[in-house]
Amino acid sequence: MSTTSLGYDYALAKTETKLAKIIFDNSQAVFVADIGEKVVGYIHIANYDVIYAVNYKNILGFAVNNDYKRQGIGTALLSAAEKLAEENGAVGVRLESGIERTDAHILQCVRLLREKIAKKF
């Protein structure tokens, strides 16, 4: 799904290795949406603890299978991330998205109230 929905060409074996580590890392979490035995979406979040601001959860990966978009799966995954953030004392979740990722910009309409444009050098 990271390849088809996000455009990242990353080997499944490498993804599985990373997931095995994340499972035991309390600073990260992955929520998965499935229908039957088919994974149709996921959200990967981690602590965003900096010395100059309150704590957030940072969305590191967020994807829904193209065939299952617009069915509430993304909203359910985002809600799970927000619930975990609240349970862990974070004030919310944050997402950095490339300007070309217009499909991700829908989150501004759904949840994100502030917008900050950042450039990476």
Side-chain angles (χ1 to χ4, degrees):
M1 185 172 330
S2 295
T3 301
T4 58
S5 295
L6 298 176
Y8 296 119
D9 186 19
Y10 197 69
L12 179 59
K14 290 181 179 181
T15 299
E16 290 170 341
T17 299
K18 285 191 174 195
L19 279 171
K21 291 178 183 177
I22 290 169
I23 289 170
F24 298 103
D25 182 349
N26 291 334
S27 69
Q28 300 185 63
V30 177
F31 294 98
V32 176
D34 63 348
I35 295 178
E37 293 186 22
K38 181 176 184 173
V39 173
V40 297
Y42 75 89
I43 191 167
H44 175 196
I45 61 173
N47 289 347
Y48 184 76
D49 297 330
V50 295
I51 60 172
Y52 56 84
V54 296
N55 296 339
Y56 283 86
K57 289 290 186 183
N58 202 25
I59 299 173
L60 301 178
F62 187 25
V64 175
N65 181 302
N66 291 332
D67 295 334
Y68 293 88
K69 288 187 176 182
R70 311 247 187 274
Q71 297 182 30
I73 294 167
T75 300
L77 289 167
L78 188 56
S79 292
E82 289 175 326
K83 182 178 180 199
L84 181 66
E86 183 179 340
E87 290 171 353
N88 285 272
V91 298
V93 296
R94 62 187 298 278
L95 170 69
E96 289 185 18
S97 176
I99 196 140
E100 71 281 357
R101 295 289 316 272
T102 55
D103 58 328
H105 299 169
I106 190 66
L107 292 174
Q108 293 173 344
C109 300
V110 176
R111 303 279 181 166
L112 303 180
L113 301 178
R114 294 185 305 172
E115 179 180 343
K116 178 180 177 184
I117 298 174
K119 293 183 180 179
K120 293 184 181 181
F121 298 92

